[in-house]
Amino acid sequence: MAQQTITIIGGGLVGALLAQQLAQRGFAVEVYEKRPDPRLSGFLGGRSINLALAERGLQALRTAGLADDVLQRAVMMRGRMVHGRDGNSGLQRYGVDDSEVIWSVSRGALNMLLLDAAEAAGVQFHFEQSLVSADFDAQRIRLADAAGVERELPVGMLIGADGAGSAVRATMNAHSPLGERIESLGHAYKELEIPPAGELPVGVLQLSGGHDQYALEPHALHIWPRGGYMCIALPNTEGSFTVTLFLPAQGAAPSFATLPDAMAAAAFFSEQFPDLLPLIPRFSEDFDSHPVGTLSTLYLQRWHLDGRALLIGDAAHAIVPFHGQGMNCGFEDTVVLANLLAAAPNDSAEVFAEFQRVRQPNADAIATMALENYVEMRDSVADPHYLAKRELGALLAERAPQHYMARYRLVTFSHVPYAYALERGRAQDRLLEQLLRDTPNVADIDIEAAARLFRSNLEPLPRLRHG
């Protein structure tokens, strides 16, 4: 096994999981993280406090021996609970049954679990250490501590797992341009909170559909779709929900530019989300104190500098959060990279090139699908044509399971490459549109003839790995 130490910048979710997997494979790993150790100082928020864990991420955690520990700290979500303007709600399942669910996990709790696991595997962590600069020719990096005191270190192999605002990417780009392109969505977000049911008046809870300590049905991702914007809510283990408002950043109402303060926002909520507003008792303080987050997609032509430095996770391919796959994609990255390095520990240039060759088409594909899913979540989930396609797809999944699986299920509950899921989804969608164009009412469609259309036009699906 290679004796050179692997240096990782970034001790968040992807950095910690990668470090643990490399250490398990016999590498010496040092991790430098700019924030304090969350196990000592408490987790610093500012980014979404819970995340959707799906099969790809779970498979990476299984590889690391951590899946069971994580699931004990997670809340199952069976599907989307869609809340209409009229106050009525209905569940749209993600999968066929409870074997196909996603899990709401706390970012902070997951990060601390991964740090513990990596340390147990022998990883050395150094907190409150920010990357200042890197000299890739001399193979040295400069770090600064919390007091601003700087020091230099030699590095062999450098991996940037430091997120969308990656300092490693900036230093690599300064050394040799990476072909960076950042596309802003033009929409932004703000987080609010529904507290546990015990903190809300009984009258408010009577119509909300919650149970036990939850104000809403706990086993669902809640969506209030309103066309060009939406709210979502994800459950937390202690009974609260993290609510996120997604709106255009600028422009005519409604946008964040037209909601300058909590008073304006409360008036907007009382009109557009009247069933949600009473569940957020600290609405005014949350709205005025929580920052507005931006949403962008990152594209790079190059993820590495020969064998000296590589970007992974959001540092290489940050995406918008609307497919719940950012963390899952990053976790999938870690397994691919750890396996490649274990197979060729002394040829980092070839490993880094192969990693980009394998992962970049899939990162591009999930970026595309995440953008498409925003439109679906904020608009299509309440659209009759979308609901007809969903109904027809469910019938075909029963009648022709070798030839039809909804794209969401391919992405979320299987391990097929994202790029395959994107192309297969488009091919399936063309056939669904063809069937509904001829007969817009699903009840009037000959399902056996529809199944024959799929069998004659599409290759059988690959063997799908679940769990």
Side-chain angles (χ1 to χ4, degrees):
M1 184 60 71
Q3 292 307 302
Q4 67 165 316
T5 298
I6 297 177
T7 302
I8 298 175
I9 305 294
L13 300 176
V14 169
L17 182 59
L18 175 64
Q20 187 252 15
Q21 295 199 62
L22 291 172
Q24 280 187 328
R25 288 161 173 80
F27 289 94
V29 185
E30 303 262 347
V31 180
Y32 296 88
E33 164 58 50
K34 68 181 178 182
R35 293 179 302 247
D37 186 340
R39 298 165 298 180
L40 302 176
S41 62
F43 186 75
L44 299 176
R47 297 175 299 163
S48 73
I49 66 167
N50 53 5
L51 301 152
L53 177 65
E55 174 56 32
R56 293 165 196 275
L58 264 175
Q59 180 61 18
L61 291 169
R62 288 187 200 105
T63 302
L66 299 172
D68 290 343
D69 287 346
V70 172
L71 289 178
Q72 287 173 8
R73 297 163 170 81
V75 182
M76 178 178 72
M77 298 187 291
R78 293 187 171 98
R80 299 166 174 164
M81 185 69 77
V82 180
H83 297 260
R85 291 177 189 271
D86 57 5
N88 291 326
S89 60
L91 183 71
Q92 296 179 2
R93 265 196 179 271
Y94 289 132
V96 291
D97 55 33
D98 279 359
S99 71
E100 293 184 342
V101 298
I102 60 176
W103 301 86
S104 177
V105 294
S106 157
R107 180 192 284 273
L110 179 57
N111 200 170
M112 289 186 270
L113 182 151
L114 294 174
L115 292 172
D116 285 343
E119 276 189 347
V123 175
Q124 298 290 314
F125 283 93
H126 310 272
F127 293 95
E128 298 184 272
Q129 299 287 318
S130 298
L131 181 70
V132 176
S133 62
D135 183 335
F136 293 103
D137 294 325
Q139 292 194 280
R140 297 183 71 80
I141 57 172
R142 180 175 285 271
L143 299 162
D145 66 14
V149 177
E150 296 187 4
R151 61 181 172 135
E152 272 198 7
L153 292 174
V155 289
M157 202 185 302
L158 182 68
I159 298 175
D162 50 344
S166 171
V168 178
R169 188 175 74 244
T171 59
M172 288 168 64
N173 198 47
H175 176 84
S176 178
L178 303 175
E180 180 180 286
R181 180 166 54 90
I182 297 172
E183 290 189 3
S184 172
L185 182 63
H187 287 228
Y189 68 94
K190 187 180 283 265
E191 292 193 334
L192 308 163
E193 186 181 38
I194 297 171
E199 297 178 31
L200 292 165
V202 174
V204 168
L205 296 171
Q206 282 171 340
L207 299 173
S208 66
H211 55 80
D212 300 327
Q213 76 265 44
Y214 290 91
L216 295 166
E217 160 58 49
H219 297 300
L221 187 155
H222 294 261
I223 307 183
W224 290 259
R226 297 296 182 263
Y229 54 94
M230 67 174 179
C231 273
I232 67 170
L234 273 74
N236 296 305
T237 50
E238 80 285 358
S240 66
F241 287 82
T242 302
V243 178
T244 310
L245 168 66
F246 295 96
L247 269 182
Q250 302 294 329
S255 67
F256 280 109
T258 63
L259 301 178
D261 54 36
M263 185 180 295
F268 168 64
F269 265 69
S270 63
E271 179 185 315
Q272 295 297 332
F273 309 107
D275 55 331
L276 177 56
L277 183 59
L279 300 175
I280 311 175
R282 293 184 293 276
F283 182 89
S284 292
E285 58 196 87
D286 281 0
F287 195 90
D288 283 341
S289 65
H290 293 181
V292 175
T294 57
L295 298 164
S296 301
T297 305
L298 167 69
Y299 301 96
L300 297 175
Q301 290 174 4
R302 292 195 301 122
W303 291 5
H304 65 101
L305 295 178
D306 46 64
R308 290 175 287 180
L310 172 75
L311 300 169
I312 189 171
D314 282 356
H317 49 71
I319 61 175
V320 296
F322 303 111
H323 216 306
Q325 285 290 310
M327 172 181 68
N328 293 284
C329 182
F331 280 5
E332 208 174 49
D333 280 354
T334 68
V335 178
V336 173
L337 180 59
N339 286 340
L340 288 170
L341 280 169
N346 297 308
D347 194 355
S348 57
E350 181 58 35
V351 164
F352 290 178
E354 178 66 5
F355 176 75
Q356 180 176 344
R357 189 192 70 76
V358 170
R359 294 301 292 163
Q360 190 169 34
N362 294 308
D364 289 345
I366 192 55
T368 296
M369 292 187 284
L371 289 164
E372 291 176 1
N373 223 42
Y374 183 34
V375 177
E376 180 173 307
M377 289 173 75
R378 75 187 195 208
D379 196 353
S380 303
V381 289
D383 173 67
H385 181 68
Y386 167 84
L387 294 173
K389 272 205 298 189
R390 185 182 161 85
E391 182 186 352
L392 178 56
L395 293 170
L396 283 162
E398 290 181 9
R399 193 63 59 93
Q402 297 301 309
H403 289 80
Y404 178 84
M405 179 183 267
R407 186 178 85 179
Y408 185 92
R409 288 177 64 209
L410 286 170
V411 169
T412 309
F413 306 123
S414 87
H415 308 143
V416 300
Y418 287 122
Y420 173 87
L422 176 61
E423 289 309 313
R424 180 71 180 210
R426 285 174 173 166
Q428 293 179 161
D429 200 59
R430 285 192 290 270
L431 295 179
L432 290 176
E433 291 286 359
Q434 179 183 323
L435 289 164
L436 287 166
R437 187 176 61 243
D438 298 337
T439 316
N441 187 357
V442 175
D444 296 335
I445 291 174
D446 180 339
I447 294 300
E448 193 47 55
R452 285 197 300 273
L453 179 71
F454 272 73
R455 292 188 193 106
S456 62
N457 281 273
L458 297 176
E459 293 285 320
L461 289 160
R463 180 174 169 78
L464 299 174
R465 293 184 297 152
H466 284 68

